[in-house]
Coordinates of all heavy atoms in Angstrom, one line a residue:
M218 N 0.8 -1.2 0.0 CA 0.0 0.0 0.0 C 0.8 1.2 0.0 O 0.5 2.2 -0.6 CB -0.9 0.0 1.2 CG -2.1 -0.9 1.2 SD -3.2 -0.3 0.0 CE -4.6 0.1 0.9
E219 N 1.9 1.2 0.7 CA 2.8 2.4 0.7 C 3.3 2.7 -0.7 O 3.3 3.9 -1.0 CB 4.0 2.1 1.6 CG 3.7 2.3 3.1 CD 5.0 2.0 3.9 OE1 6.1 2.4 3.4 OE2 4.9 1.4 4.9
R220 N 3.6 1.7 -1.4 CA 4.0 1.9 -2.8 C 3.0 2.6 -3.6 O 3.3 3.6 -4.3 CB 4.3 0.6 -3.4 CG 5.7 0.5 -3.8 CD 6.0 -0.8 -4.4 NE 7.2 -0.6 -5.1 CZ 7.8 -1.5 -5.8 NH1 7.3 -2.7 -5.9 NH2 8.9 -1.3 -6.4
S221 N 1.7 2.2 -3.5 CA 0.7 2.9 -4.3 C 0.5 4.3 -3.8 O 0.3 5.2 -4.6 CB -0.6 2.1 -4.2 OG -1.1 2.1 -2.9
G222 N 0.6 4.5 -2.5 CA 0.5 5.9 -2.0 C 1.6 6.8 -2.5 O 1.5 7.9 -2.9
S223 N 2.8 6.2 -2.6 CA 4.0 6.9 -3.0 C 3.9 7.2 -4.5 O 4.2 8.3 -5.0 CB 5.2 6.0 -2.8 OG 6.3 6.5 -3.4
S224 N 3.4 6.2 -5.3 CA 3.2 6.5 -6.7 C 2.2 7.5 -7.0 O 2.3 8.3 -7.9 CB 2.9 5.2 -7.5 OG 1.6 4.7 -7.1
R225 N 1.2 7.6 -6.1 CA 0.2 8.7 -6.3 C 0.8 10.0 -6.1 O 0.5 11.0 -6.8 CB -1.0 8.5 -5.3 CG -2.0 7.4 -5.7 CD -3.1 7.4 -4.8 NE -3.9 6.3 -5.0 CZ -4.6 5.6 -4.1 NH1 -4.7 6.1 -2.9 NH2 -5.3 4.6 -4.4
E226 N 1.6 10.1 -5.1 CA 2.3 11.4 -4.8 C 3.1 11.8 -6.0 O 3.1 12.9 -6.4 CB 3.2 11.3 -3.6 CG 2.4 11.3 -2.3 CD 3.3 11.2 -1.1 OE1 4.5 11.6 -1.2 OE2 2.9 10.8 0.0
K227 N 3.9 10.9 -6.6 CA 4.7 11.2 -7.7 C 3.9 11.6 -8.9 O 4.2 12.5 -9.6 CB 5.6 10.0 -8.1 CG 6.7 9.8 -7.1 CD 7.6 8.6 -7.6 CE 8.7 8.4 -6.6 NZ 9.5 7.2 -6.9
S228 N 2.8 10.8 -9.2 CA 2.0 11.2 -10.3 C 1.3 12.5 -10.0 O 1.1 13.3 -10.9 CB 1.0 10.1 -10.6 OG 0.1 9.9 -9.6
G229 N 0.9 12.8 -8.8 CA 0.3 14.1 -8.4 C 1.3 15.2 -8.7 O 0.9 16.2 -9.2
R230 N 2.5 15.0 -8.2 CA 3.5 16.0 -8.4 C 3.8 16.2 -9.9 O 4.0 17.3 -10.4 CB 4.8 15.7 -7.7 CG 4.7 15.8 -6.2 CD 6.1 15.5 -5.6 NE 5.9 15.1 -4.2 CZ 6.6 14.3 -3.6 NH1 7.6 13.7 -4.2 NH2 6.4 14.0 -2.3
G231 N 3.9 15.2 -10.6 CA 4.2 15.3 -12.0 C 3.1 16.0 -12.8 O 3.3 16.8 -13.6
W232 N 1.9 15.7 -12.4 CA 0.7 16.4 -13.0 C 0.7 17.9 -12.6 O 0.5 18.7 -13.5 CB -0.6 15.7 -12.4 CG -1.8 16.4 -12.9 CD1 -2.4 16.1 -14.1 CD2 -2.6 17.4 -12.3 NE1 -3.5 16.9 -14.3 CE2 -3.7 17.7 -13.2 CE3 -2.5 18.0 -11.1 CZ2 -4.6 18.6 -12.9 CZ3 -3.5 19.0 -10.8 CH2 -4.5 19.2 -11.7
K233 N 1.1 18.1 -11.4 CA 1.2 19.6 -10.9 C 2.2 20.3 -11.7 O 2.0 21.4 -12.2 CB 1.5 19.6 -9.4 CG 1.3 21.0 -8.8 CD 1.4 21.0 -7.3 CE 1.2 22.3 -6.8 NZ 1.3 22.3 -5.3
K234 N 3.4 19.7 -11.9 CA 4.5 20.3 -12.7 C 4.1 20.5 -14.1 O 4.3 21.5 -14.7 CB 5.8 19.5 -12.6 CG 6.5 19.7 -11.3 CD 7.8 19.0 -11.3 CE 8.5 19.2 -10.0 NZ 9.9 18.6 -10.0
G235 N 3.5 19.5 -14.7 CA 3.0 19.6 -16.0 C 2.0 20.7 -16.2 O 1.9 21.4 -17.2
R236 N 1.1 20.8 -15.2 CA 0.1 21.8 -15.2 C 0.7 23.2 -15.1 O 0.3 24.1 -15.8 CB -0.9 21.6 -14.0 CG -1.9 22.6 -13.8 CD -3.1 22.5 -14.6 NE -4.0 23.6 -14.3 CZ -5.2 23.7 -14.8 NH1 -5.6 22.8 -15.6 NH2 -5.9 24.7 -14.4
E237 N 1.7 23.4 -14.2 CA 2.4 24.6 -14.1 C 3.1 25.0 -15.4 O 3.1 26.2 -15.8 CB 3.4 24.6 -13.0 CG 2.8 24.6 -11.6 CD 3.8 24.4 -10.5 OE1 5.0 24.2 -10.8 OE2 3.4 24.3 -9.3
R238 N 3.8 24.0 -16.0 CA 4.4 24.2 -17.3 C 3.4 24.7 -18.4 O 3.6 25.6 -19.1 CB 5.2 23.0 -17.7 CG 6.1 23.2 -19.0 CD 6.9 22.0 -19.3 NE 7.6 21.4 -18.2 CZ 7.6 20.2 -17.8 NH1 6.8 19.3 -18.5 NH2 8.3 19.7 -16.8
S239 N 2.3 24.0 -18.4 CA 1.2 24.3 -19.3 C 0.7 25.7 -19.1 O 0.5 26.5 -20.0 CB 0.1 23.3 -19.2 OG -1.0 23.6 -20.0
D240 N 0.6 26.1 -17.8 CA 0.1 27.4 -17.5 C 1.1 28.5 -17.9 O 0.7 29.5 -18.5 CB -0.1 27.6 -16.0 CG -1.4 26.8 -15.5 OD1 -2.2 26.4 -16.3 OD2 -1.5 26.7 -14.2
R241 N 2.4 28.2 -17.7 CA 3.4 29.1 -18.1 C 3.4 29.3 -19.6 O 3.5 30.4 -20.2 CB 4.8 28.7 -17.6 CG 5.1 29.0 -16.2 CD 6.6 28.8 -15.9 NE 7.1 27.5 -16.2 CZ 7.2 26.5 -15.4 NH1 6.9 26.6 -14.1 NH2 7.7 25.3 -15.8
D242 N 3.3 28.2 -20.3 CA 3.3 28.2 -21.8 C 2.0 29.0 -22.3 O 2.1 29.8 -23.2 CB 3.2 26.8 -22.4 CG 4.5 26.0 -22.2 OD1 5.6 26.7 -21.9 OD2 4.5 24.8 -22.3
G243 N 0.9 28.8 -21.6 CA -0.3 29.5 -21.9 C -0.1 31.0 -21.7 O -0.6 31.8 -22.5
I244 N 0.5 31.4 -20.6 CA 0.7 32.8 -20.3 C 1.7 33.4 -21.4 O 1.5 34.5 -21.8 CB 1.3 33.0 -18.9 CG1 0.2 32.6 -17.9 CG2 1.8 34.4 -18.7 CD1 0.6 32.5 -16.4
R245 N 2.7 32.7 -21.7 CA 3.7 33.1 -22.7 C 2.9 33.3 -24.1 O 3.1 34.3 -24.7 CB 4.8 32.2 -22.9 CG 5.9 32.3 -21.9 CD 7.1 31.5 -22.3 NE 8.0 31.3 -21.2 CZ 8.2 30.2 -20.5 NH1 7.6 29.1 -20.9 NH2 9.1 30.2 -19.5
E246 N 2.1 32.4 -24.4 CA 1.3 32.5 -25.7 C 0.4 33.7 -25.6 O 0.3 34.4 -26.6 CB 0.6 31.2 -25.9 CG 0.0 31.0 -27.2 CD -0.6 29.6 -27.4 OE1 -0.1 28.6 -26.9 OE2 -1.7 29.6 -28.1
L247 N -0.2 33.9 -24.5 CA -1.1 35.0 -24.3 C -0.4 36.3 -24.5 O -0.8 37.3 -25.1 CB -1.9 35.0 -23.0 CG -2.8 36.1 -22.7 CD1 -3.9 36.2 -23.7 CD2 -3.4 36.0 -21.3
A248 N 0.8 36.4 -23.8 CA 1.6 37.6 -23.9 C 2.1 37.9 -25.3 O 2.0 39.0 -25.8 CB 2.9 37.4 -23.0
R249 N 2.5 36.8 -26.1 CA 2.8 37.0 -27.5 C 1.6 37.5 -28.3 O 1.8 38.3 -29.2 CB 3.4 35.7 -28.1 CG 4.8 35.4 -27.7 CD 5.4 34.2 -28.5 NE 6.1 33.4 -27.6 CZ 5.8 32.2 -27.2 NH1 4.7 31.6 -27.7 NH2 6.5 31.5 -26.4
A250 N 0.5 36.9 -28.0 CA -0.7 37.3 -28.8 C -1.1 38.8 -28.5 O -1.4 39.5 -29.4 CB -1.9 36.4 -28.4
I251 N -0.9 39.2 -27.2 CA -1.2 40.6 -26.9 C -0.2 41.5 -27.5 O -0.5 42.6 -28.1 CB -1.2 40.8 -25.3 CG1 -2.4 40.1 -24.7 CG2 -1.2 42.3 -25.0 CD1 -2.4 40.0 -23.2
E252 N 1.1 41.1 -27.5 CA 2.1 41.9 -28.2 C 1.9 42.0 -29.7 O 2.0 43.1 -30.2 CB 3.5 41.2 -27.9 CG 4.7 42.1 -28.3 CD 6.0 41.4 -27.9 OE1 6.3 40.3 -28.4 OE2 6.7 42.0 -27.1
R253 N 1.5 40.9 -30.3 CA 1.2 40.9 -31.7 C 0.0 41.8 -32.0 O 0.0 42.6 -33.0 CB 0.9 39.5 -32.2 CG 0.6 39.4 -33.7 CD 1.9 39.6 -34.5 NE 1.6 39.5 -35.9 CZ 1.9 40.4 -36.8 NH1 2.6 41.4 -36.5 NH2 1.5 40.2 -38.1
F254 N -1.0 41.7 -31.2 CA -2.2 42.6 -31.3 C -1.8 44.1 -31.2 O -2.3 44.9 -32.0 CB -3.2 42.3 -30.3 CG -4.4 43.2 -30.3 CD1 -5.4 43.0 -31.2 CD2 -4.6 44.2 -29.4 CE1 -6.5 43.8 -31.2 CE2 -5.6 45.0 -29.4 CZ -6.6 44.8 -30.3
A255 N -0.9 44.4 -30.3 CA -0.5 45.8 -30.1 C 0.3 46.2 -31.3 O 0.1 47.4 -31.8 CB 0.4 45.9 -28.9
E256 N 1.1 45.4 -31.9 CA 1.8 45.7 -33.1 C 0.9 46.0 -34.3 O 1.0 47.0 -35.0 CB 2.8 44.6 -33.5 CG 4.0 44.5 -32.6 CD 4.8 43.2 -32.8 OE1 4.4 42.4 -33.8 OE2 5.8 43.0 -32.1
I257 N -0.1 45.1 -34.5 CA -1.1 45.3 -35.5 C -1.9 46.6 -35.3 O -2.1 47.4 -36.2 CB -2.0 44.1 -35.7 CG1 -1.1 42.9 -36.2 CG2 -3.1 44.3 -36.6 CD1 -1.8 41.5 -36.1
Y258 N -2.3 46.8 -34.1 CA -3.1 48.0 -33.7 C -2.3 49.2 -34.0 O -2.8 50.2 -34.6 CB -3.5 47.9 -32.3 CG -4.4 49.1 -31.9 CD1 -5.8 49.0 -32.1 CD2 -3.9 50.2 -31.2 CE1 -6.6 50.1 -31.7 CE2 -4.7 51.2 -30.9 CZ -6.0 51.2 -31.1 OH -6.8 52.2 -30.7
E259 N -1.0 49.2 -33.6 CA -0.2 50.4 -33.9 C 0.0 50.7 -35.4 O -0.1 51.8 -35.8 CB 1.2 50.1 -33.3 CG 2.1 51.3 -33.1 CD 3.4 51.0 -32.4 OE1 3.3 50.4 -31.3 OE2 4.4 51.4 -32.9
K260 N 0.1 49.6 -36.2 CA 0.3 49.7 -37.6 C -1.0 50.3 -38.2 O -1.0 51.2 -39.0 CB 0.6 48.4 -38.3 CG 0.8 48.5 -39.8 CD 1.0 47.1 -40.4 CE 1.2 47.1 -41.8 NZ 0.2 47.8 -42.6
V261 N -2.1 49.8 -37.8 CA -3.4 50.2 -38.3 C -3.6 51.7 -38.0 O -4.1 52.5 -38.8 CB -4.6 49.3 -37.8 CG1 -5.9 50.0 -38.0 CG2 -4.5 48.0 -38.4
E262 N -3.3 52.1 -36.7 CA -3.5 53.5 -36.3 C -2.6 54.4 -37.1 O -3.0 55.5 -37.5 CB -3.3 53.6 -34.8 CG -4.4 53.1 -34.0 CD -5.7 53.9 -34.2 OE1 -5.7 55.1 -34.2 OE2 -6.7 53.2 -34.4
G263 N -1.4 53.9 -37.4 CA -0.4 54.7 -38.2 C -0.9 54.9 -39.6 O -0.9 56.0 -40.1
D264 N -1.4 53.8 -40.2 CA -2.0 53.9 -41.5 C -3.2 54.8 -41.5 O -3.4 55.6 -42.5 CB -2.4 52.5 -42.0 CG -1.2 51.6 -42.3 OD1 -0.1 52.1 -42.4 OD2 -1.4 50.4 -42.5
K265 N -4.0 54.7 -40.5 CA -5.2 55.6 -40.4 C -4.8 57.1 -40.3 O -5.4 57.9 -41.0 CB -6.0 55.2 -39.2 CG -7.3 56.0 -38.9 CD -7.9 55.4 -37.7 CE -8.8 56.4 -37.0 NZ -9.4 55.9 -35.8
Q266 N -3.8 57.3 -39.5 CA -3.3 58.7 -39.4 C -2.8 59.3 -40.7 O -3.1 60.4 -41.1 CB -2.2 58.8 -38.3 CG -1.7 60.2 -38.0 CD -2.8 61.0 -37.2 OE1 -3.7 60.4 -36.6 NE2 -2.7 62.3 -37.3
R267 N -2.0 58.4 -41.4 CA -1.5 58.9 -42.7 C -2.6 59.1 -43.7 O -2.6 60.1 -44.5 CB -0.5 57.8 -43.3 CG 0.9 57.9 -42.7 CD 1.9 57.0 -43.4 NE 1.6 55.6 -43.1 CZ 2.0 55.0 -41.9 NH1 2.6 55.7 -41.0 NH2 1.8 53.7 -41.7
Q268 N -3.6 58.2 -43.7 CA -4.8 58.4 -44.6 C -5.5 59.7 -44.3 O -6.0 60.4 -45.2 CB -5.7 57.2 -44.5 CG -6.8 57.2 -45.5 CD -7.7 56.0 -45.4 OE1 -7.7 55.3 -44.4 NE2 -8.3 55.6 -46.5
M269 N -5.7 60.0 -43.0 CA -6.4 61.2 -42.6 C -5.6 62.4 -43.0 O -6.2 63.4 -43.5 CB -6.6 61.2 -41.0 CG -7.5 60.2 -40.5 SD -9.2 60.4 -41.2 CE -9.7 61.9 -40.4
I270 N -4.3 62.4 -42.9 CA -3.5 63.5 -43.4 C -3.6 63.7 -44.9 O -3.8 64.8 -45.4 CB -2.0 63.3 -43.0 CG1 -1.8 63.4 -41.5 CG2 -1.1 64.3 -43.8 CD1 -0.5 63.0 -41.0
E271 N -3.6 62.6 -45.6 CA -3.8 62.6 -47.1 C -5.1 63.2 -47.5 O -5.2 64.0 -48.4 CB -3.6 61.2 -47.7 CG -3.6 61.2 -49.2 CD -2.6 62.1 -49.9 OE1 -1.5 62.2 -49.4 OE2 -2.9 62.6 -51.0
L272 N -6.2 62.7 -46.8 CA -7.5 63.3 -47.1 C -7.6 64.8 -46.8 O -8.3 65.5 -47.5 CB -8.6 62.5 -46.2 CG -8.9 61.1 -46.7 CD1 -9.8 60.4 -45.7 CD2 -9.6 61.2 -48.1
E273 N -6.9 65.2 -45.7 CA -7.0 66.6 -45.4 C -6.2 67.4 -46.4 O -6.7 68.5 -46.8 CB -6.3 66.8 -44.0 CG -6.3 68.3 -43.5 CD -7.7 68.8 -43.3 OE1 -8.7 68.1 -43.2 OE2 -7.8 70.1 -43.2
K274 N -5.1 66.9 -47.0 CA -4.4 67.6 -48.0 C -5.3 67.7 -49.3 O -5.4 68.7 -49.9 CB -3.1 66.8 -48.4 CG -2.0 67.0 -47.4 CD -0.8 66.2 -47.9 CE 0.3 66.2 -46.9 NZ 1.5 65.4 -47.3
Q275 N -6.0 66.6 -49.6 CA -6.9 66.6 -50.8 C -8.0 67.6 -50.6 O -8.4 68.3 -51.5 CB -7.5 65.2 -51.0 CG -6.5 64.2 -51.5 CD -7.0 62.8 -51.6 OE1 -8.2 62.6 -51.5 NE2 -6.2 61.8 -52.0
R276 N -8.6 67.6 -49.3 CA -9.6 68.6 -49.0 C -9.1 70.0 -49.2 O -9.8 70.9 -49.8 CB -10.1 68.4 -47.6 CG -11.3 69.2 -47.2 CD -11.7 69.1 -45.7 NE -10.7 69.8 -44.9 CZ -10.7 71.1 -44.7 NH1 -11.6 71.9 -45.2 NH2 -9.8 71.7 -43.9
M277 N -7.9 70.3 -48.7 CA -7.4 71.6 -48.8 C -7.1 72.0 -50.3 O -7.4 73.1 -50.7 CB -6.1 71.8 -48.0 CG -6.4 71.7 -46.5 SD -4.9 71.6 -45.5 CE -3.9 73.0 -46.0
E278 N -6.6 71.0 -51.1 CA -6.4 71.3 -52.5 C -7.8 71.6 -53.2 O -7.9 72.4 -54.1 CB -5.7 70.1 -53.2 CG -4.3 70.0 -52.9 CD -3.5 71.2 -53.6 OE1 -3.8 71.6 -54.7 OE2 -2.6 71.7 -52.9
F279 N -8.8 70.8 -52.9 CA -10.1 71.0 -53.5 C -10.7 72.4 -53.1 O -11.2 73.1 -54.0 CB -11.1 69.9 -53.0 CG -12.5 70.1 -53.5 CD1 -12.8 69.7 -54.8 CD2 -13.5 70.6 -52.6 CE1 -14.1 69.8 -55.2 CE2 -14.8 70.7 -53.1 CZ -15.1 70.4 -54.4
I280 N -10.5 72.8 -51.9 CA -11.0 74.1 -51.5 C -10.2 75.2 -52.2 O -10.8 76.2 -52.6 CB -10.9 74.3 -49.9 CG1 -12.0 73.4 -49.3 CG2 -11.1 75.7 -49.5 CD1 -12.0 73.3 -47.8
K281 N -8.9 75.0 -52.3 CA -8.1 76.0 -53.0 C -8.6 76.1 -54.5 O -8.7 77.3 -55.0 CB -6.6 75.5 -53.0 CG -5.6 76.5 -53.6 CD -4.2 75.9 -53.5 CE -3.2 76.7 -54.2 NZ -1.9 76.1 -54.2
G282 N -8.8 75.0 -55.1 CA -9.3 75.0 -56.5 C -10.6 75.7 -56.6 O -10.9 76.5 -57.5
L283 N -11.5 75.4 -55.7 CA -12.9 76.0 -55.6 C -12.8 77.5 -55.4 O -13.5 78.3 -56.1 CB -13.7 75.3 -54.5 CG -15.2 75.3 -54.6 CD1 -15.6 74.5 -55.9 CD2 -15.7 74.6 -53.4
E284 N -11.9 77.9 -54.5 CA -11.7 79.3 -54.3 C -11.2 80.0 -55.5 O -11.6 81.2 -55.9 CB -10.8 79.6 -53.1 CG -10.6 81.0 -52.7 CD -11.9 81.7 -52.2 OE1 -12.9 81.0 -51.9 OE2 -11.9 83.0 -52.2
F285 N -10.2 79.4 -56.2 CA -9.7 79.9 -57.4 C -10.8 80.1 -58.5 O -10.8 81.2 -59.1 CB -8.6 79.1 -58.0 CG -7.9 79.6 -59.2 CD1 -7.0 80.6 -59.2 CD2 -8.3 79.0 -60.5 CE1 -6.5 81.1 -60.4 CE2 -7.8 79.5 -61.6 CZ -6.8 80.6 -61.6
Q286 N -11.6 79.1 -58.6 CA -12.7 79.2 -59.6 C -13.7 80.3 -59.2 O -14.1 81.1 -60.1 CB -13.5 77.9 -59.7 CG -12.8 76.8 -60.4 CD -13.6 75.5 -60.4 OE1 -14.5 75.3 -59.7 NE2 -13.2 74.6 -61.3
R287 N -14.0 80.5 -57.9 CA -14.9 81.5 -57.5 C -14.3 82.9 -57.8 O -15.0 83.8 -58.3 CB -15.1 81.4 -56.0 CG -16.2 82.3 -55.4 CD -16.3 82.3 -53.9 NE -15.1 82.9 -53.3 CZ -15.0 84.2 -53.1 NH1 -15.9 85.1 -53.5 NH2 -14.0 84.7 -52.5
M288 N -13.0 83.1 -57.5 CA -12.3 84.3 -57.8 C -12.3 84.6 -59.3 O -12.5 85.7 -59.7 CB -10.9 84.4 -57.2 CG -10.9 84.4 -55.7 SD -11.7 85.9 -55.0 CE -10.6 87.2 -55.6
Q289 N -12.0 83.6 -60.1 CA -12.0 83.7 -61.5 C -13.4 84.1 -62.1 O -13.5 85.0 -62.9 CB -11.6 82.4 -62.2 CG -11.3 82.5 -63.7 CD -10.0 83.4 -63.9 OE1 -9.0 83.2 -63.2 NE2 -10.1 84.3 -64.8
M290 N -14.4 83.5 -61.5 CA -15.8 83.9 -62.0 C -16.1 85.3 -61.6 O -16.7 86.1 -62.3 CB -16.8 82.9 -61.4 CG -16.8 81.6 -62.0 SD -17.9 80.4 -61.1 CE -19.5 81.1 -61.4
F291 N -15.7 85.7 -60.4 CA -15.9 87.1 -59.9 C -15.2 88.1 -60.8 O -15.8 89.1 -61.2 CB -15.4 87.2 -58.5 CG -15.5 88.6 -57.9 CD1 -16.8 89.1 -57.5 CD2 -14.4 89.4 -57.8 CE1 -16.9 90.3 -57.0 CE2 -14.5 90.7 -57.2 CZ -15.8 91.2 -56.8
V292 N -13.9 87.8 -61.2 CA -13.2 88.7 -62.0 C -13.8 88.8 -63.4 O -14.0 89.8 -64.0 CB -11.7 88.3 -62.1 CG1 -11.0 89.0 -63.2 CG2 -11.0 88.5 -60.8
D293 N -14.2 87.6 -63.9 CA -14.8 87.5 -65.3 C -16.1 88.3 -65.2 O -16.4 89.1 -66.2 CB -15.1 86.1 -65.7 CG -13.9 85.3 -66.0 OD1 -12.8 85.9 -66.2 OD2 -14.0 84.1 -66.1
T294 N -16.9 88.2 -64.2 CA -18.1 89.0 -64.0 C -17.9 90.5 -64.0 O -18.6 91.3 -64.7 CB -18.9 88.6 -62.8 OG1 -19.2 87.2 -62.8 CG2 -20.2 89.3 -62.6
Q295 N -16.8 90.9 -63.3 CA -16.5 92.3 -63.2 C -16.1 92.8 -64.6 O -16.5 93.9 -65.0 CB -15.3 92.5 -62.2 CG -15.7 92.3 -60.8 CD -16.7 93.3 -60.2 OE1 -17.9 93.2 -60.5 NE2 -16.2 94.2 -59.5
V296 N -15.3 92.0 -65.3 CA -14.8 92.4 -66.7 C -16.1 92.6 -67.6 O -16.2 93.6 -68.3 CB -13.8 91.4 -67.2 CG1 -13.6 91.6 -68.7 CG2 -12.5 91.5 -66.4
Q297 N -17.0 91.6 -67.5 CA -18.2 91.7 -68.3 C -19.0 92.9 -68.0 O -19.5 93.6 -68.9 CB -19.0 90.4 -68.1 CG -18.4 89.2 -68.7 CD -18.3 89.2 -70.2 OE1 -19.1 89.9 -70.9 NE2 -17.3 88.6 -70.7
M298 N -19.1 93.2 -66.7 CA -19.9 94.4 -66.3 C -19.2 95.7 -66.8 O -19.9 96.6 -67.3 CB -20.0 94.4 -64.8 CG -21.0 93.4 -64.2 SD -21.1 93.3 -62.5 CE -21.7 94.8 -62.0
E299 N -17.9 95.7 -66.8 CA -17.2 96.9 -67.3 C -17.4 97.1 -68.8 O -17.6 98.2 -69.3 CB -15.7 96.8 -67.0 CG -15.4 97.2 -65.5 CD -15.8 98.6 -65.1 OE1 -15.6 99.6 -65.9 OE2 -16.4 98.7 -64.0
K300 N -17.4 96.0 -69.5 CA -17.7 96.0 -71.0 C -19.1 96.5 -71.2 O -19.3 97.4 -72.1 CB -17.5 94.6 -71.6 CG -16.1 94.1 -71.7 CD -16.0 92.8 -72.4 CE -14.6 92.3 -72.5 NZ -14.5 90.9 -73.0
I301 N -20.0 96.0 -70.5 CA -21.4 96.5 -70.7 C -21.5 98.0 -70.4 O -22.2 98.7 -71.1 CB -22.4 95.7 -69.8 CG1 -22.5 94.2 -70.3 CG2 -23.8 96.3 -69.7 CD1 -23.2 93.3 -69.3
K302 N -20.9 98.4 -69.3 CA -20.9 99.9 -69.0 C -20.3 100.7 -70.1 O -20.8 101.8 -70.4 CB -20.1 100.1 -67.6 CG -20.9 99.7 -66.4 CD -20.1 100.0 -65.2 CE -20.7 99.4 -63.9 NZ -19.9 99.6 -62.7
R303 N -19.2 100.2 -70.6 CA -18.5 101.0 -71.7 C -19.4 101.1 -72.9 O -19.5 102.1 -73.6 CB -17.2 100.3 -72.1 CG -16.1 100.6 -71.2 CD -14.8 100.0 -71.7 NE -13.8 99.9 -70.6 CZ -12.9 99.0 -70.5 NH1 -12.8 98.0 -71.3 NH2 -12.1 99.0 -69.4
I304 N -20.1 99.9 -73.3 CA -21.0 99.9 -74.4 C -22.1 100.9 -74.2 O -22.5 101.7 -75.1 CB -21.5 98.5 -74.7 CG1 -20.4 97.6 -75.2 CG2 -22.6 98.5 -75.7 CD1 -20.7 96.1 -75.2
R305 N -22.7 100.9 -73.0 CA -23.8 101.8 -72.7 C -23.3 103.3 -72.8 O -24.0 104.1 -73.3 CB -24.4 101.5 -71.3 CG -25.2 100.3 -71.3 CD -25.9 100.1 -70.0 NE -26.7 98.8 -70.0 CZ -27.1 98.3 -68.9 NH1 -26.9 98.8 -67.7 NH2 -27.8 97.2 -68.9
R306 N -22.1 103.5 -72.2 CA -21.6 104.9 -72.3 C -21.4 105.3 -73.7 O -21.7 106.5 -74.1 CB -20.3 105.0 -71.5 CG -20.5 105.2 -70.0 CD -19.2 105.5 -69.3 NE -19.1 104.7 -68.1 CZ -18.1 104.0 -67.7 NH1 -17.0 104.1 -68.4 NH2 -18.1 103.3 -66.6
S307 N -20.8 104.4 -74.5 CA -20.5 104.8 -75.9 C -21.8 105.0 -76.7 O -22.0 105.8 -77.6 CB -19.6 103.8 -76.6 OG -20.3 102.5 -76.7
D308 N -22.8 104.1 -76.4 CA -24.1 104.3 -77.0 C -24.8 105.6 -76.6 O -25.4 106.3 -77.5 CB -25.1 103.1 -76.7 CG -24.7 101.8 -77.4 OD1 -23.9 101.9 -78.4 OD2 -25.3 100.8 -77.0
S309 N -24.7 105.9 -75.4 CA -25.4 107.2 -74.9 C -24.6 108.4 -75.4 O -25.2 109.4 -75.7 CB -25.5 107.2 -73.4 OG -24.3 107.2 -72.8
D310 N -23.3 108.3 -75.5 CA -22.5 109.4 -76.1 C -22.8 109.6 -77.5 O -22.8 110.7 -78.0 CB -21.0 109.1 -75.9 CG -20.5 109.2 -74.5 OD1 -21.3 109.8 -73.6 OD2 -19.4 108.8 -74.1
G311 N -23.0 108.6 -78.3 CA -23.3 108.6 -79.7 C -24.7 109.3 -80.0 O -24.9 109.9 -81.0
Y312 N -25.6 109.2 -79.1 CA -27.0 109.7 -79.3 C -27.1 111.1 -78.8 O -28.1 111.7 -79.1 CB -28.0 108.8 -78.6 CG -28.2 107.4 -79.3 CD1 -27.8 106.3 -78.6 CD2 -28.7 107.3 -80.6 CE1 -27.9 105.0 -79.2 CE2 -28.8 106.1 -81.2 CZ -28.4 104.9 -80.5 OH -28.5 103.7 -81.1
S313 N -26.2 111.6 -78.2 CA -26.4 113.0 -77.6 C -26.3 114.1 -78.6 O -25.8 114.2 -79.6 CB -25.3 113.3 -76.6 OG -25.2 112.3 -75.7

């Protein structure tokens, strides 16, 4: 009987050590997974930041082009108005 009790202790200890090793391996694996997740998250956030900067540059270029068109239309309108005024003045001067 002593022998069987002794073998139980050994198998119990062996199981406990195996369990501890398994736990350590599991913790290491979890740590690696968390580290990998952090790396991927960091990369995604960096890409997102670069994309936001690029979109902001495009938005600014679009607004710049729009403002240029607005100013061009304003100047063209002013020129047209001046031409019309000149024509009216020359017409009114001719009839006097």
